[in-house]
Amino acid sequence: MRKINKKSILVLTDFSGYAKNAAESAMSLADKMKMDIILCNIYPVPAVRSSAEILFPTGYEDIAKQQSIDSLKIEKIRLQSILKRDTDISRIPGLTIIDEDHTFSTIANLIKKEKNITMVTIGTRHHQGNEFLFGGGINTIVNKSNCPVLLISEKVLTDAIKTIIFATDLAIEDIKQLKLLTEKADLFKSHIHVCHISPPTPIVIDFNEEYHLSEFIQEMGKLTFKKISFKNIQGKNIIQDLIEFEEETHADLLVLIHKKHSFLWKLFHESKIKRLVTNQKSPLLILPG
């Protein structure tokens, strides 16, 4: 693959309706943030269970690759027509396609290596298995990526991002990502609701938790971005409370930080959280931890 010379948003597509929503969301962001767009299709590659049993018919790989290239070209034309219709002609983002063979694993390695890929967008389907974040493929991207991953389902993310929910467990290192988020929020003139997600209050007061809360709010106060507020979501019905808060604030974007061993990230592997993710109409942005 040729070197990527400009800051770009990588769109992983399977040409479904959700994937098209993701591509259109990427266009809105690229236009606002002055980035280019790269389209890539990941499709199953031939695998062998044993020396005698092949899962794909002979010639599948060549046919699949050609279909992928043809579909990428059609999608590129569709997106270019939208860009020309809706974007100032003087600053239309560049749009290229990756037509080499790629698996989720090779793309994840590319994202990690290529510094000019600044975001990945993926269309998520509600029926892609039981694994968190709709299957191992997206998990591979999230686990290996050193840039934000944006998951889009029903709702296209436009440049009118008015309300953002930033979920945190009060880890002080989250302030760094919050600061970076405020820079983007300032560009979109958004309001950020910082939501502290925590388990039910223990019988014995946790003074350590109170200290972290005080420290986090103090660091928040040092941010120059002022369209920001704080909310505590605590108890046994965290997921339902978060869903209700999303609806109450008409949130355009939910933001999480990927930290495997945090309470918040573990929560997103429990069965209850799948209800939030599978019913997630608003886009979900996962920041690297």
Side-chain angles (χ1 to χ4, degrees):
M1 178 184 165
R2 60 182 176 274
K3 186 172 177 59
I4 300 169
N5 295 315
K6 187 177 177 183
K7 300 292 184 184
S8 301
I9 299 174
L10 176 64
V11 180
L12 302 184
T13 182
D14 62 0
F15 313 111
S16 65
Y18 294 117
K20 289 180 179 180
N21 287 346
E24 291 173 28
S25 299
M27 286 196 308
S28 296
L29 296 174
D31 178 30
K32 195 79 171 180
M33 297 189 291
K34 297 180 173 56
M35 295 181 182
D36 283 349
I37 298 168
I38 301 169
L39 276 175
C40 178
N41 171 227
I42 297 177
Y43 53 89
V45 294
V48 179
R49 285 182 183 164
S50 68
S51 58
E53 186 179 6
I54 300 176
L55 297 180
F56 291 82
T58 303
Y60 162 83
E61 192 169 5
D62 291 338
I63 295 171
K65 182 174 182 179
Q66 190 56 53
Q67 287 177 340
S68 173
I69 292 171
D70 292 343
S71 296
L72 281 169
K73 289 178 179 177
I74 292 170
E75 178 66 352
K76 180 179 178 179
I77 292 170
R78 185 185 78 87
L79 294 174
Q80 284 176 327
S81 67
I82 295 174
L83 284 169
K84 289 175 182 177
R85 183 192 68 200
D86 298 341
T87 310
D88 183 342
I89 195 70
S90 65
R91 54 185 177 88
I92 289 180
L95 207 166
T96 58
I97 61 175
I98 297 176
D99 55 12
E100 294 95 338
D101 296 338
H102 280 297
T103 63
F104 274 108
S105 182
T106 58
I107 280 294
N109 290 331
L110 172 67
I111 294 165
K112 194 170 184 178
K113 180 180 71 174
E114 183 51 71
K115 302 301 182 185
N116 278 329
I117 294 178
T118 57
M119 181 181 290
V120 181
T121 65
I122 309 173
T124 57
R125 303 186 188 205
H126 291 175
H127 60 274
Q128 285 181 295
N130 295 320
E131 192 175 349
F132 169 61
L133 289 183
F134 312 99
I138 293 179
N139 262 337
T140 299
I141 299 295
V142 171
N143 287 334
K144 291 189 176 182
S145 179
N146 51 8
C147 69
V149 177
L150 179 64
L151 304 181
I152 302 287
S153 56
E154 295 181 15
K155 185 178 178 182
V156 174
L157 187 64
T158 69
D159 59 4
I161 306 172
K162 299 302 181 186
T163 307
I164 299 170
I165 293 177
F166 177 82
T168 177
D169 57 3
L170 296 184
I172 199 64
E173 58 267 24
D174 288 3
I175 289 291
K176 179 181 177 181
Q177 289 290 15
L178 178 58
K179 184 177 180 181
L180 293 174
L181 183 64
T182 63
E183 293 172 3
K184 303 303 181 187
D186 193 39
L187 181 65
F188 289 90
K189 296 181 171 55
S190 310
H191 182 98
I192 298 176
H193 295 282
V194 176
C195 285
H196 171 213
I197 309 295
S198 62
T201 305
I203 297 175
V204 179
I205 297 175
D206 187 349
F207 292 103
N208 194 43
E209 178 84 358
E210 289 189 353
Y211 169 77
H212 287 310
L213 175 59
S214 175
E215 183 184 32
F216 195 92
I217 292 178
Q218 185 177 4
E219 290 300 315
M220 270 181 58
K222 296 178 183 179
L223 298 173
T224 56
F225 185 79
K226 298 306 177 186
K227 293 179 68 176
I228 192 167
S229 57
F230 184 87
K231 181 177 178 63
N232 190 46
I233 296 181
Q234 184 180 50
K236 295 180 179 179
N237 300 312
I238 290 174
I239 303 309
Q240 183 58 38
D241 291 344
L242 186 56
I243 290 172
E244 290 177 2
F245 187 62
E246 274 195 283
E247 293 173 350
E248 176 189 330
T249 58
H250 304 287
D252 299 298
L253 183 65
L254 173 63
V255 181
L256 301 172
I257 297 178
H258 176 237
K259 294 181 293 184
K260 280 188 176 181
H261 303 296
S262 69
F263 160 76
L264 183 57
W265 196 254
K266 286 178 181 177
L267 181 68
F268 269 72
H269 283 75
E270 295 177 0
S271 58
K272 289 181 181 179
I273 198 65
K274 290 174 184 174
R275 183 160 58 91
L276 172 65
V277 178
T278 55
N279 292 328
Q280 183 70 21
K281 292 182 173 60
S282 298
L284 177 63
L285 181 66
I286 302 175
L287 305 178

